Amino acid sequence: MIRWLLGPIGLCLAAAQALAADPVTIGVGYLGVAGTRATLSLVEQPAENDGLAGAKLAIEDNNTTGKFLGQRFTLEEHRIKEGEDPVQAASALAEHNGLIVADLPADALLKVADALRDHGTLLFNAGAIDERLREADCRANVIHTAPTRSMLADALGQYLVWKKWSRWLLVAGSHDEDKLYADALRRAATRFGAKIVQERTFEDTGGARRTDSGVTLIQRQMPVFTQQAPAYDVLVAADESEVFAAYLPYRTWDPRPVAGSAGLVPRSWDAAQDQWGATQMQNRFMKLNARRMTALDMQAWTAVRMIGEATSRTNSGDVKKVTDFIKGPNFEVAAFKGTRLTLRDWNLQLRQPILLVDGRMVVSVSPQEGFLHQVSELDTLGYDRPESKCKLK
């Protein structure tokens, strides 16, 4: 009986000692760009705190556990204004925060990573989906919670092939990021056995995207733009620049579904996600922010939760110990996606399921049934180890 009591008593004493001692402070920085990017849809305009709100929620979650372990998490934000040097901003943030969640364009992120390499700072890329950040331009001090374009495209491609919608009409925008997404969709088609029957380019000629006469003009333009196409099952749009894709559903010449940048869209997270306990997460987020949780919010939340998980498992706030554990074989984090998420050790990309959503519901979750892998089915999304060109440095 005495031995049986020693375990609970010991745990209580340890917890009491942790609560009595001064907590170890783990400083987390959040580095983003000032302002928001306009979208075609008024209901999808990003909030000023897009991403940051997710990080703040994760700080609360970390502190809930941390108070029992003598750990306290803080968050310091910096928004880079136009013309401001991202390296200077990151260096100032790194003085008090050895762990930084970054929502930056690829080039800025690389500059920051290289500048902070010798400072022992660990960066979490929560925003940039560029493939090169995980391939030729990968860095050993950057962990990626944002999915890549190829992961998003493969998730969509698997579902379309599973549906036997294997003939695609690919419509891509004229901007560089549109072309990169189109490349990822072509790769997905080749990888999973779909056929792109024709490609078309929607040229961005400038001008107002929304006008009083816009609906009438678009209703005439889109059918004409999509007519006389070879027989196809689904129109797949690559429009990261937000110029035309949102106007395609219900306006194509042929009655066909739309996917990619509009219609059925692949995302790391969506406000409609309610499986695997996600409803309580969505409710907590809504209570704090009076809005729905976006993919960027979730990617930032996941980054901060990775920090919390590593500090609790190592019982340390030391950045090197936290970094080594996250990169190690025993790390995993729960993120309301039905499976524990782990890190690809060859390029530091977080493995994760991808949701396929239509703006109101989660239609499906990839990887799809039947797409197998010898290590993890999640590695059927994006570039696998044998394909990788990453040499961490």
Side-chain angles (χ1 to χ4, degrees):
M1 183 67 176
I2 293 175
R3 288 183 179 177
W4 181 82
L5 288 171
L6 285 176
I9 292 173
L11 288 174
C12 290
L13 289 173
Q17 289 172 355
L19 289 170
D22 291 335
V24 175
T25 299
I26 297 100
V28 180
Y30 186 93
L31 186 63
V33 177
T36 59
R37 184 176 181 177
T39 62
L40 285 176
S41 170
L42 285 175
V43 301
E44 291 189 347
Q45 296 296 307
E48 287 288 341
N49 65 347
D50 192 20
L52 178 64
K56 287 182 175 180
L57 179 61
I59 287 289
E60 286 196 4
D61 294 343
N62 286 356
N63 280 326
T64 298
T65 303
K67 65 183 179 182
F68 297 106
L69 300 173
Q71 297 172 347
R72 185 173 68 91
F73 295 83
T74 62
L75 186 69
E76 182 182 355
E77 173 202 7
H78 186 92
R79 296 281 186 171
I80 300 172
K81 299 179 177 63
E82 186 176 355
E84 185 179 359
D85 181 9
V87 171
Q88 185 177 355
S91 298
L93 200 59
E95 288 183 7
H96 307 289
N97 307 279
L99 303 154
I100 297 177
V101 178
D103 174 25
L104 298 173
D107 289 339
L109 182 65
L110 287 173
K111 290 179 181 178
V112 168
D114 290 342
L116 298 181
R117 180 186 304 167
D118 296 330
H119 293 263
T121 305
L122 182 63
L123 298 168
F124 291 80
N125 168 31
I129 63 175
D130 302 72
E131 213 71 45
R132 65 189 180 98
L133 294 175
R134 290 81 162 171
E135 293 298 315
D137 292 334
C138 64
R139 298 292 188 269
N141 62 334
V142 182
I143 288 171
H144 307 276
T145 59
T148 63
R149 284 189 180 90
S150 66
M151 291 170 67
L152 298 170
D154 286 353
L156 179 63
Q158 284 188 11
Y159 180 75
L160 297 181
V161 169
W162 180 83
K163 283 287 294 177
K164 303 190 184 306
W165 296 345
S166 57
R167 297 175 301 175
W168 300 358
L169 173 62
L170 177 61
V171 180
S174 56
H175 294 272
D176 289 342
E177 60 266 34
D178 305 331
K179 296 174 183 177
L180 290 172
Y181 191 22
D183 288 342
L185 290 166
R186 292 187 196 98
R187 174 182 174 274
T190 301
R191 193 178 191 193
F192 301 123
K195 180 181 180 181
I196 296 176
V197 298
Q198 192 180 75
E199 295 188 23
R200 298 185 178 186
T201 301
F202 192 99
E203 295 288 345
D204 183 7
T205 57
R209 297 184 183 184
R210 288 189 295 266
T211 63
D212 292 341
S213 59
V215 171
T216 302
L217 291 173
I218 293 159
Q219 188 165 319
R220 293 172 181 170
Q221 181 184 21
M222 286 307 174
V224 173
F225 177 73
T226 56
Q227 71 177 335
Q228 296 182 341
Y232 68 97
D233 301 312
V234 57
L235 187 154
V236 181
D239 179 33
E240 287 187 19
S241 52
E242 285 273 346
V243 171
F244 69 93
Y247 296 135
L248 286 168
Y250 311 108
R251 294 189 176 103
T252 57
W253 182 269
D254 298 304
R256 298 292 183 271
V258 175
S261 295
L264 186 65
V265 180
R267 287 179 179 157
S268 67
W269 189 257
D270 189 79
Q273 166 66 344
D274 61 359
Q275 301 181 75
W276 306 299
T279 301
Q280 63 92 0
M281 154 77 100
Q282 302 276 27
N283 290 341
R284 287 191 297 119
F285 186 88
M286 172 66 81
K287 184 177 180 180
L288 286 174
N289 299 286
R291 66 172 177 83
R292 299 293 182 184
M293 193 174 195
T294 69
L296 181 57
D297 287 321
M298 188 58 178
Q299 287 153 201
W301 180 91
T302 304
V304 178
R305 279 297 299 127
M306 289 174 72
I307 295 169
E309 183 70 16
T311 54
S312 64
R313 292 286 297 275
T314 59
N315 197 26
S316 173
D318 180 76
V319 174
K320 186 178 186 309
K321 289 183 179 179
V322 168
T323 301
D324 290 344
F325 183 77
I326 291 176
K327 292 182 179 181
N330 297 320
F331 178 78
E332 57 184 27
V333 65
F336 304 96
K337 290 189 175 183
T339 185
R340 292 272 178 165
L341 310 187
T342 59
L343 208 62
R344 292 173 177 163
D345 58 9
W346 65 88
N347 64 359
L348 305 184
Q349 170 65 51
L350 188 70
R351 296 181 177 94
Q352 56 190 288
I354 299 297
L355 312 181
L356 303 174
V357 302
D358 66 356
R360 294 180 64 85
M361 298 292 291
V362 176
V363 175
S364 187
V365 181
S366 288
Q368 296 294 315
E369 183 180 0
F371 291 86
L372 305 178
H373 192 275
Q374 63 271 28
V375 177
S376 169
E377 291 181 2
L378 292 174
D379 285 340
T380 63
L381 305 179
Y383 283 74
D384 199 1
R385 185 190 298 271
E387 304 170 279
S388 179
K389 299 177 182 177
C390 174
K391 295 182 180 179
L392 293 170
K393 56 183 180 179

